[in-house]
């Protein structure tokens, strides 16, 4: 019996040690291992970027991770000091609230175990976020506002045209000012209740992708089991989004969902992070048919910085897809949609943006066009489409 108790104590002690290591070191290890860069490039002098008046990106998942945005990090892709270093004016911070185990671009089951729930537990986020996708999404919204409060005026959250206009004026006087906006990947975080949209609007969410990696109660995903279109509730959702000036993000939506959105919605749309089938043909990317319709609606297409999106591992690959979009629908309708900190390896972190500028030059873009692609188009899109 004494021997048995001794063994139990040893086993219990080992469990405590394992849990301690997991909770203390696990989140950082997962972050570092998931958010890598192809090229480890650091720029101490970004004269190439300093000449661009407004640098912006449409998609970053940094709020998912247990990382202090105010501090500079040697891992991951985006934080406030590195945004300042890269002359970054505006970054959309997107909310990932549920990811099924074994995600892929072909077929995912919404009922598979939820990796984001496990991540929230491991990061010791509030217990209210462990099993409620709505609460964990709201927690990420609140985190961005908290970072703005703690930034001593260096970072602002933009929610309307007036705030964006004022930020542009103020940044001309102080180029170190940065800003962000909130977006959502997957309307499943509304938890099947249309009234929850109001709560996210109040938090500052200004675009929503209807589906992420799985079909939900609102719409079909390009990576879902069925890949259907808008449901009747989904049609109600996009109408309410339109009334609130919340832009529809087509990223990850099924072909049928995109067709249905064009059927029931007459306004502009964006694709926050994508590639183009005409350059890189796979389930993840945007067809020419849909690309041309986005162009007709004066929408915006954000081109990604990862291999699945652009069939390459460098800035040149992204530049080729940008050139394709510009040739098809105009240079004023294409932007950066990096997918930084999205649990994916990107070509470079935010400080590597000079590589993007050089790649665009090699594709023959003028200085004026590069200024548009690197952020001017994002600025102008939201000046047109944010609420007053």
């Amino acid at each position: 019996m004494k021997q048995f108790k001794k063994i139990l104590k040893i086993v219990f002690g080992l469990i405590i040690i394992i849990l301690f290591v997991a909770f203390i070191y696990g989140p950082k290890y997962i972050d570092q291992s998931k958010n890598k860069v192809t090229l480890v490039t650091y720029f101490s002098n970004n004269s190439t970027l300093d000449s661009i008046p407004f640098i912006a990106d449409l998609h970053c998942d940094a709020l998912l991770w247990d990382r202090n945005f105010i501090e500079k990090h040697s891992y991951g892709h985006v934080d406030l000091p590195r945004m300042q270093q890269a002359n970054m004016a505006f970054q959309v911070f997107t909310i990932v609230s549920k990811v099924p185990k074994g995600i892929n671009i072909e077929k995912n089951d919404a009922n598979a175990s939820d990796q984001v729930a496990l991540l929230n537990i491991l990061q010791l986020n509030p217990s209210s976020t462990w099993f409620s996708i709505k609460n964990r999404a709201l927690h990420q919204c609140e985190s961005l506002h908290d970072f703005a409060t703690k930034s001593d005026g260096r970072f602002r959250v933009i929610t309307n045209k007036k705030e964006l206009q004022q930020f542009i004026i103020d940044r001309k006087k102080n180029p170190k000012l940065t800003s962000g906006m909130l977006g959502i990947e997957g309307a499943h975080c509304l938890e099947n209740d249309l009234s929850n949209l109001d709560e996210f609007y109040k938090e500052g969410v200004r675009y929503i992708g209807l589906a992420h990696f799985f079909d939900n109660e609102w719409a079909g995903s390009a990576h879902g089991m069925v890949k259907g279109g808008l449901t009747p509730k989904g049609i109600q959702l996009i109408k309410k989004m339109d009334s609130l000036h919340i832009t529809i993000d087509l990223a990850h939506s099924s072909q049928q969902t995109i067709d249905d959105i064009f059927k029931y919605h007459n306004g502009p749309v964006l694709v926050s992070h994508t590639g183009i089938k005409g350059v890189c043909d796979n389930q993840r990317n945007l067809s020419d048919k849909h690309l041309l319709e986005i162009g007709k609606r004066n929408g915006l297409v954000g081109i990604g910085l990862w291999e699945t999106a652009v069939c390459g591992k460098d800035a040149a690959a992204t530049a080729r897809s940008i050139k394709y979009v510009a040739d098809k629908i105009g240079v004023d309708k294409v932007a950066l949609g990096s997918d930084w900190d999205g649990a994916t390896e990107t070509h470079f972190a935010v400080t590597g943006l000079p590589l993007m500028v050089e790649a665009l030059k090699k594709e023959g873009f003028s200085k004026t066009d590069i200024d548009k692609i690197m952020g001017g188009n994002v600025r102008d899109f939201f000046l047109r489409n944010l609420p007053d």
Side-chain angles (χ1 to χ4, degrees):
M1 182 61 73
K2 288 182 178 180
Q3 184 70 18
F4 180 70
K5 288 182 178 180
K6 185 177 180 180
I7 293 172
L8 280 179
K9 287 180 180 180
I10 293 171
V11 171
F12 183 74
L14 288 173
I15 291 172
I16 294 298
I17 292 171
I18 291 170
L19 288 174
F20 177 80
V21 171
F23 284 107
I24 297 300
Y25 299 104
K28 183 177 179 180
Y29 171 77
I30 295 170
D31 189 354
Q32 288 178 312
S33 64
K34 293 293 186 181
N35 297 307
K36 295 182 178 180
V37 293
T38 309
L39 302 173
V40 181
T41 309
Y42 178 86
F43 291 89
S44 57
N45 182 3
N46 283 350
S47 58
T48 300
L49 300 180
D50 290 341
S51 66
I52 300 175
F54 196 93
I55 296 175
D57 177 76
L58 282 171
H59 197 95
C60 170
D61 294 335
L63 297 176
L64 181 62
W65 309 101
D66 185 22
R67 196 190 309 158
N68 187 348
F69 173 70
I70 305 301
E71 298 177 357
K72 188 172 184 178
H73 295 76
S74 60
Y75 60 93
H77 302 145
V78 176
D79 52 48
L80 175 56
R82 285 186 286 177
M83 283 179 68
Q84 291 179 310
Q85 183 185 342
N87 191 31
M88 171 74 78
F90 180 90
Q91 174 69 66
V92 181
F93 291 89
T94 36
I95 294 164
V96 177
S97 58
K98 179 179 177 180
V99 175
K101 184 179 180 181
I103 60 166
N104 57 84
I105 64 170
E106 299 296 336
K107 196 172 186 180
N108 298 277
D109 187 349
N111 296 317
S113 58
D114 180 7
Q115 296 183 87
V116 178
L118 295 174
L119 184 63
N120 273 265
I121 294 170
L122 193 60
Q123 291 179 162
L124 295 177
N125 287 340
S127 58
S128 62
T129 69
W130 295 0
F131 306 109
S132 168
I133 49 179
K134 174 192 170 187
N135 287 343
R136 72 180 65 138
L138 289 172
H139 177 70
Q140 290 184 43
C141 293
E142 291 160 4
S143 294
L144 191 67
H145 290 287
D146 287 343
F147 288 139
T149 300
K150 295 173 182 176
S151 72
D152 296 324
R154 293 175 293 163
F155 177 81
R156 301 178 187 177
V157 179
I158 303 298
T159 65
N160 58 49
K161 290 178 186 177
K162 184 178 179 180
E163 290 173 350
L164 181 54
Q165 290 165 343
Q166 188 61 53
F167 172 76
I168 293 167
I169 293 169
D170 293 343
R171 196 171 190 272
K172 289 179 180 178
K173 302 172 186 175
N174 180 7
K176 290 297 182 182
L177 290 179
T178 62
S179 67
M181 193 185 81
L182 285 163
I184 286 177
E185 283 201 89
H188 50 266
C189 67
L190 298 177
E191 293 187 336
N192 203 22
D193 187 346
L194 188 61
S195 66
N196 283 331
L197 183 64
D198 295 314
E199 198 165 350
F200 284 101
Y201 177 83
K202 290 175 183 176
E203 286 292 335
V205 170
R206 293 299 178 264
Y207 79 56
I208 297 177
L210 301 189
H212 195 197
F213 273 100
F214 53 90
D215 303 325
N216 62 40
E217 55 268 46
W218 311 99
S221 165
H223 328 290
M225 301 295 286
V226 178
K227 302 177 179 63
L230 289 177
T231 66
K233 291 193 72 170
I235 296 170
Q236 292 180 326
L237 174 59
I238 65 169
K239 289 180 178 179
K240 184 167 183 177
M241 285 171 61
D242 187 43
S243 70
L244 294 171
H245 295 278
I246 298 175
T247 300
I248 299 170
D249 177 14
L250 301 180
H252 293 289
S253 288
S254 69
Q255 299 289 303
Q256 186 59 54
T257 292
I258 296 175
D259 286 341
D260 288 349
I261 288 169
F262 290 149
K263 177 180 178 181
Y264 293 105
H265 173 70
N266 295 318
V269 295
L270 62 79
V271 191
S272 65
H273 59 309
T274 191
I276 305 298
K277 289 182 184 291
V279 178
C280 183
D281 189 6
N282 60 50
Q283 185 73 19
R284 172 68 180 79
N285 289 343
L286 193 67
S287 69
D288 276 6
K289 169 190 169 184
H290 291 146
L291 178 62
L292 292 169
E293 185 63 32
I294 292 166
K296 292 176 185 177
R297 293 164 177 257
N298 207 18
L300 190 61
V301 177
I303 298 297
L305 296 177
W306 75 100
E307 187 177 11
T308 304
V310 295
C311 289
K313 290 188 174 185
D314 57 14
T318 296
R320 284 193 292 272
S321 288
I322 289 173
K323 182 69 161 57
Y324 187 92
V325 176
D327 289 344
K328 285 284 185 180
I329 63 174
V331 73
D332 56 340
K333 298 179 181 69
V334 64
L336 299 180
S338 64
D339 202 17
W340 278 322
D341 289 314
T344 189
E345 181 181 80
T346 57
H347 307 331
F348 45 78
V350 64
T351 50
L353 282 173
L355 295 170
M356 195 70 249
V357 175
E358 292 306 310
L360 291 172
K361 287 179 181 178
K362 290 179 181 178
E363 286 291 340
F365 287 105
S366 67
K367 174 66 167 63
T368 299
D369 288 346
I370 291 173
D371 287 353
K372 290 180 179 181
I373 295 164
M374 293 296 292
N377 290 337
V378 174
R379 174 198 61 209
D380 295 345
F381 180 87
F382 287 115
L383 283 173
R384 293 193 303 269
N385 295 299
L386 281 174
D388 293 330

